[in-house]
Amino acid sequence: MLWSVPLLPLLVAPGIYWLGRHGSNNQGSDKNSGRALLGLVGAATAIVTSLIAGLAILGDWSGVYRWSSQIVLLVGMTPVSAVFAIVVPLIALPIILYSVYHESEPGGGAASTGQAPARLVALLAAFVGAMELLVLAEDLVTLLIAWELVGACSWALIAHEWRETGNLRDAARAFLVTRFGDLGLYIAAAAAYAGTGSFAFADLTQLDGWLLNVFIAGAVLAAAAKSAQVPFSPWLFAAMSGPTPVSALLHAATMVAAGIYLVIRLHAEMSAVAWFGPVAIALGLTTALAGGVVACLQGHAKKLLAASTSAQYGLMWLAVGAGFPGVALVHFVTHAFMKSALFLAAGIAERHVGSYSLDAMRLGRLLPGIAAATMVASLALAGVVPLSAAWSKEEIITAAGHQASWLAVIAVIAGGLSALYATRFQLLAFGRGSRGGTRTAPSPPGHTRMEAAALYLLSAGTLVLSLLWWPGVGNSLADLLSIRLPPTRPWELIVSLLLVALGIVLGVWALRREVSDSSRQRARRAELAEWFGLPALAQQGVGTVMAFSHGLARFDDRVVDAGIHASARFGAWLATLGDRRGEGWFDGATSQLAKGVDWMGQWARQAHTGQTHHYYTGIAAGLAAILIILGTGALL
């Protein structure tokens, strides 16, 4: 029965595509009806998937499929997978509705005039199914199948607008970076099978020694690449070539979330080695700080949010490394709602000004309702009490302090950076300045209402999750999910809130200073905002590899191929020689051999005279020869 959770959206996706292509190709009012039908089916798919997942949790469903005598595919429901299985379709629901009215088929023009995005909605549904399979997997083979499906869907979604210059290149770049990390998961699966003879998660407790270390190293590589941790973080910028709904789902609850899910789900096995905790903490803190700085310098709305995603997932890695995977799980939920809302808000702003440049926006006066809903999510990202993400962020800081006080201090600084870039995003995108808001006409009212409704739903989810601050709610949730929360220390909370306030003040100050920056300062800021030049360095590395590859290709052409051609020419020469002279030589040699055999036969036949005295003479001569040989040997 549990197989129905991932299979439903995966099997419905082709039907959504067919329905969208045949139901929304008409013009006029029929076209809007087609969009409505597409949105209804897409939303229903997400709702039914969430309901079935809820029934699976209540009924403790599981699933087994025997592929072969050695490979058995398993799906099951744990507290971690249950949270992901519910959150993924819940986040996808408003995003699918938003995409129906915000996007069009590639080449179709603006959403108001083009065809409904049937392929996009179908891919989003398939993406949800692939992610559901990933979080329900109870063995490494099923996990790898889902991992590959998630990667393939992400490539197709990022390259959705494939006619746009550079989109296919960016999709390939994001795909290749994550594929490099995926190799780690294959290595981990091989190590698990070599050590236990099984791919099941339940048998990983039997793994030990160097195979356990190999398994954990491979899993960490795959998870770090997927969740965009340093040095893999820049692939998220390439992924920004995808449509806004893709960015919202990709960075909120699916693609990037797959990495942190893996380390949360396998935390018990990974924490068996001493080096996992320090590595996870180092990765998380480095990414949280670097991503925070990059977000503070970014002038592109979606890239700012992408850098923020890396930073927030870095905080989740910190919690896992500190020994509190449940805290990371809660922060995943709060982050999913607020970050998807911010991405949708960025898409609405871009529709109005025709650009993702934050300098061109300031739409607070034109879109007061959108600005208010975005502010809820921005304040949550900043960590302002009593919003949802503030609670989970404070739990992460407490978890870091449980390991060492200096870790808590660094986590507090990362939280201050969050407040700074969240303030900057809100004021630049939806501040009440004089810039932006008048460059293009607003979207048609119907479309704007549906896009706004999706944003309002996600912001409302952020507000509902703020109940975590209510006394006893957080602890009750922890008991329900069987997770452990670290004991709160007052000084950590006080210092954290002070840094949040300081970050907001610095955000306002930095925004005012940006206006008077020189072109040289802006260029320097833009250079640092591209992950400190890491993509350019990676490009140089790729260039070096390509140059080496070209050198090997030239060596192959000039040396290896030359040897092959020389061998071919030598073979042809031997064939020609055999054709011209070899036949005569072989025939002559055969004739001479036959003559020699005939002569020897004639000579041997002469001894057979038929006369008895000739045979006796031969026998006597043979005996004499034997006696002479024996006598000679005795004398010697």
Side-chain angles (χ1 to χ4, degrees), residues 118-140:
R119 182 162 63 91
L120 178 62
V121 175
L123 284 171
L124 289 174
F127 203 13
V128 170
M131 190 64 189
E132 292 288 81
L133 181 61
L134 190 151
V135 301
L136 295 176
E138 285 295 303
D139 69 281
L140 289 163

Side-chain angles (χ1 to χ4, degrees), residues 5 46 49-55 57 77 80-92 132 135 332 337:
V5 177
T49 301
S50 182
L51 290 176
I52 295 176
L55 291 175
I57 295 170
M77 192 69 75
V80 176
S81 58
V83 171
F84 275 82
I86 292 294
V87 170
V88 168
L90 283 182
I91 296 296
E132 292 288 81
V135 301
F332 156 75
F337 280 91

